[in-house]
Amino acid sequence: MRILLVEDDEKIASFIIGGLRQSGFAVDHAANGLDGLHLAATEPYAVAVIDVMLPGLDGLKVIEELRRRKVNTPIIILSAKRSVEDRVRGLETGSDDYISKPFSFSELLARVQALIRRSSSVSEPTRLTVGELSMNLLTREVHRGETAVQLQPREFALLEYFMRNPGKVLSKTMIMEHVWDYHFDPQTNLVDVLVCRLRNKIDRDWDRKMLHTLRGVGYVLKE
């Protein structure tokens, strides 16, 4: 899932982006209100996290304009302002949640996940299962049968993507844009390397293989 962060403070932005990516999200970042408005209005996001004090266009005006344009992306406000009046004003603009700075990343992550669950037409699953593979999205544990599989964050994100799309062929471009945050470069072998690492962990010690390569097309996870 892709998150939009609109935050002009480089340190705070780096802190949030790093945490969200480690948690399996793709993140787009805008450092001013105008760029944030453009991205939020033209790209689909699971959640937008928007600071109030932004150059170009402040965060509340960004949110008001998005709601005027009927953009229904769930929005969390970040603000150094902590009074009840500021919280009420922020929520009245059309935001869905409000977090005061300073904040812990675990709190932000929990609120992002809660908004995603609330905005989904069906409850966001906490466990994925494809054949012998099972993944707990809360504890980030993976098993094939009774065997625990230890994955690095990027490997986990890739496997989650496959498990959310079982039987569907995923191209290198789709994987690059989902697991990394940039468009596919035909000269890179990042996808091949990551798929190879994942295959070694979920397939190597089993006779029946689950992760398959369709040369020139992409990869597919099958039961």
Side-chain angles (χ1 to χ4, degrees), residues 73-205:
T73 302
I75 295 173
I76 298 176
I77 287 178
L78 293 181
S79 178
K81 299 179 179 180
R82 306 174 67 87
S83 71
V84 172
E85 291 78 9
D86 289 319
R87 288 174 178 268
V88 170
R89 183 174 176 231
L91 293 170
E92 285 178 343
T93 62
S95 69
D96 300 274
D97 205 346
Y98 189 109
I99 298 181
S100 298
K101 299 177 181 178
F103 58 90
S104 68
F105 177 75
S106 59
E107 177 186 11
L108 175 62
L109 179 61
R111 296 193 184 207
V112 166
Q113 292 171 330
L115 277 185
I116 291 172
R117 288 194 298 271
R118 278 167 43 190
S119 64
S120 299
S121 57
V122 295
S123 298
E124 177 70 8
T126 60
R127 180 181 292 274
L128 301 175
T129 303
V130 178
E132 296 178 317
L133 276 173
S134 64
M135 170 181 284
N136 188 313
L137 297 171
L138 298 179
T139 64
R140 301 182 70 80
E141 295 175 331
V142 175
H143 288 80
R144 178 157 180 181
E146 299 298 320
T147 303
V149 180
Q150 302 299 323
L151 299 178
Q152 297 297 316
R154 198 83 73 179
E155 296 164 354
F156 186 95
L158 177 59
L159 181 58
E160 180 183 351
Y161 189 33
F162 277 121
M163 294 183 72
R164 288 182 182 274
N165 297 276
K168 179 179 179 180
V169 178
L170 303 180
S171 69
K172 290 183 180 181
T173 299
M174 295 165 67
I175 292 171
M176 181 69 77
E177 292 182 353
H178 182 88
V179 179
W180 286 268
D181 290 326
Y182 45 84
H183 296 293
F184 180 63
D185 176 359
Q187 303 303 316
T188 185
N189 66 343
L190 280 175
V191 173
D192 304 287
V193 171
L194 186 62
V195 169
C196 181
R197 280 168 34 194
L198 179 61
R199 180 180 279 129
N200 283 339
K201 293 186 176 183
I202 67 170
D203 269 347
R204 184 179 58 188
D205 297 333

